[in-house]
Amino acid sequence: MELRKNLFKQAIRQGQLQLGLWTQLGSAITSEILSGCGYDFIGLDAEHGPSEFMEIYAQLQACAAGGPSQPIVRIPNHDASLIKRYLDAGVNTLMVPQVDTAEQAQALVSAVRYPPHGVRGYCGAPRASGFGRIKNYATACDAEICLIVMPETRQALENIEAMAAIEGVDAFFIGPGDLAASLGYIGQPMHPEVIRVIEETGRRIQAAGKVAGILCTDDAQTRRYIDAGFKIVAIGSDQGLLLKGAEKLLATFR
């Protein structure tokens, strides 16, 4: 058994646009359905969604059964012991929120790598290694693990270039809600000043040689971000689709 290639990581390194959908409902059934819809990635949310570790585990299994979409797991914090568990469970694209400094980014790189290049604890037969069937997993996995950090504060914006210079940080995914709050516009991710800062930050990330990502549910603004060179773009969520679809259906008949 051979280690599966991370086609998402390959795609962003080649400058290919990756369109995805966020899933916040914590449902393995939903994840299985969505992973067969043709999106490049499905975002599994363990930060703001209800999913705990075992729910994410089940969603990873569902995505594997459902289709080719790459699961991206957003974890709740920087805890290296938690990162280890998600990696062992088979997560190979990890998104980490609230990364403000180069020191934090470097610590995250270390957390996803085995010694001597990092501090990830070793397990002989995790799901990630096909339960031990992938014999070279420990020596080959670094090439397939994709680390995405989230700059979401003023402090993070000040440190973009320093974080981008770190080998092992593959991409930046801007959190518009938290960034808006940090800029003084809480609850207003579509405020013109917030959009200006996001677009400027995207240019800085790209100038530093890294990939920029964003989640946006406004069609026109999403197209602007794509035109601005953002390559990891979440264009909606299961929760949003369910809410809007249910309300639209009812309005059709009432």
Side-chain angles (χ1 to χ4, degrees):
M1 187 173 184
E2 296 200 1
L3 182 61
R4 188 174 181 180
K5 297 295 183 183
N6 188 334
L7 300 180
F8 172 86
K9 184 175 181 178
Q10 291 182 9
I12 63 171
R13 285 194 166 185
Q14 294 167 3
Q16 298 174 20
L17 174 64
Q18 299 291 283
L19 297 176
L21 192 73
W22 217 250
T23 173
Q24 298 168 295
L25 299 179
S27 165
I29 296 173
T30 301
S31 297
E32 184 176 8
I33 293 170
L34 295 178
S35 65
C37 288
Y39 289 92
D40 298 303
F41 69 90
I42 302 297
L44 309 181
D45 197 350
E47 183 195 16
H48 289 297
S51 296
E52 299 293 342
F53 176 77
M54 284 305 299
E55 282 84 10
I56 293 293
Y57 197 107
Q59 289 171 69
L60 292 170
Q61 293 173 315
C63 285
S69 298
Q70 169 71 32
I72 296 178
V73 175
R74 178 165 69 175
I75 62 175
N77 56 50
H78 298 199
D79 187 339
S81 63
L82 186 64
I83 289 172
K84 172 180 61 180
R85 295 186 72 200
Y86 279 111
L87 294 176
D88 284 351
V91 176
N92 65 3
T93 302
L94 197 71
M95 184 180 292
V96 186
Q98 298 288 339
V99 183
D100 294 327
T101 68
E103 291 76 17
Q104 289 177 339
Q106 186 62 67
L108 292 169
V109 172
S110 181
V112 303
R113 293 179 171 179
Y114 287 121
H117 306 295
V119 298
R120 178 183 173 187
Y122 177 77
C123 175
R127 178 177 182 267
S129 72
F131 304 101
R133 297 185 183 95
I134 303 172
K135 301 304 180 184
N136 68 333
Y137 172 79
T139 56
C141 64
D142 281 357
E144 307 307 329
I145 291 174
C146 181
L147 176 62
I148 304 171
V149 301
M150 297 187 70
E152 303 184 89
T153 65
R154 288 182 183 272
Q155 183 183 13
L157 299 186
E158 294 170 359
N159 293 313
I160 286 292
E161 284 77 13
M163 291 193 285
I166 296 171
E167 189 274 327
V169 172
D170 295 293
F172 292 82
F173 193 89
I174 297 172
D178 280 315
L179 183 57
S182 181
L183 295 173
Y185 302 100
I186 190 166
Q188 303 177 69
M190 293 294 293
H191 189 282
E193 176 61 13
V194 176
I195 290 173
R196 184 194 69 78
V197 170
I198 290 174
E199 292 179 343
E200 177 186 337
T201 303
R203 289 191 291 270
R204 290 170 60 197
I205 291 168
Q206 294 167 66
K210 293 295 170 74
V211 177
I214 191 75
L215 185 152
C216 187
T217 56
D218 179 87
D219 289 355
Q221 186 57 42
T222 297
R223 295 189 184 280
R224 277 189 57 173
Y225 288 137
I226 292 172
D227 291 342
F230 285 74
K231 296 301 183 185
I232 305 171
V233 183
I235 56 177
S237 72
D238 57 355
Q239 180 175 294
L241 290 172
L242 178 62
L243 178 65
K244 292 175 183 177
E247 290 179 343
K248 182 179 179 180
L249 178 62
L250 179 60
T252 301
F253 295 98
R254 177 173 285 175

